[in-house]
């Protein structure tokens, strides 16, 4: 099932953050975790799904991703902690 989402991965609580966009969240996070996607998340071990937001269209998700990437770090931490104060890895709760 395709559902446009913006997501934030973290290396640990208050650690390195990565913001991405996808139409298949569980598959995309799985790819990050297994190292299929080389680059930033592999290099810095950023694999914990700490926040995501579904959107009606991919265009809306991309706009939100760009917005979040421009935000200050403390704003990003606040958006995570508003819905996930313990920084629990949300990956296992995703319907696959």
């Amino acid at each position: 099932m395709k559902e446009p989402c913006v997501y934030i991965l973290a290396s640990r609580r208050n650690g390195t953050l990565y913001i991405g966009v996808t139409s298949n969240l569980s598959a995309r996070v799985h790819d990050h975790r297994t190292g299929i996607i080389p680059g930033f998340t592999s290099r810095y071990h950023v694999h914990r799904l700490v926040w995501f937001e579904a959107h009606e269209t991919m265009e809306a998700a991309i706009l939100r991703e760009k917005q979040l990437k421009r935000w200050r770090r403390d704003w990003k931490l606040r958006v995570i902690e508003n819905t996930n104060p313990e920084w629990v890895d949300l990956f296992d709760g995703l319907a696959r």
Side-chain angles (χ1 to χ4, degrees):
M1 184 169 120
K2 303 269 185 195
E3 182 177 32
C5 288
V6 181
Y7 61 95
I8 300 177
L9 301 178
S11 59
R12 59 181 163 70
R13 184 181 193 121
N14 296 318
T16 304
L17 301 178
Y18 174 84
I19 299 172
V21 65
T22 184
S23 63
N24 187 336
L25 184 59
S26 61
R28 184 69 169 169
V29 174
H30 179 266
D31 291 348
H32 284 294
R33 287 172 178 247
T34 57
I36 291 172
I37 301 170
F40 186 86
T41 60
S42 295
R43 190 173 323 120
Y44 296 102
H45 307 285
V46 183
H47 302 128
R48 181 186 299 187
L49 178 64
V50 293
W51 180 88
F52 65 93
E53 181 178 85
H55 289 270
E56 292 288 323
T57 65
M58 186 55 92
E59 292 79 16
I62 292 168
L63 286 174
R64 179 68 164 156
E65 176 200 28
K66 289 178 181 181
Q67 176 190 44
L68 290 170
K69 285 184 173 185
R70 287 191 306 265
W71 280 13
R72 294 172 22 164
R73 180 176 171 81
D74 61 320
W75 297 356
K76 295 172 190 176
L77 297 178
R78 195 172 314 131
V79 80
I80 294 166
E81 292 187 351
N82 281 341
T83 58
N84 189 0
E86 299 300 317
W87 291 62
V88 173
D89 190 346
L90 305 172
F91 181 71
D92 290 334
L94 293 178
R96 289 180 229 178

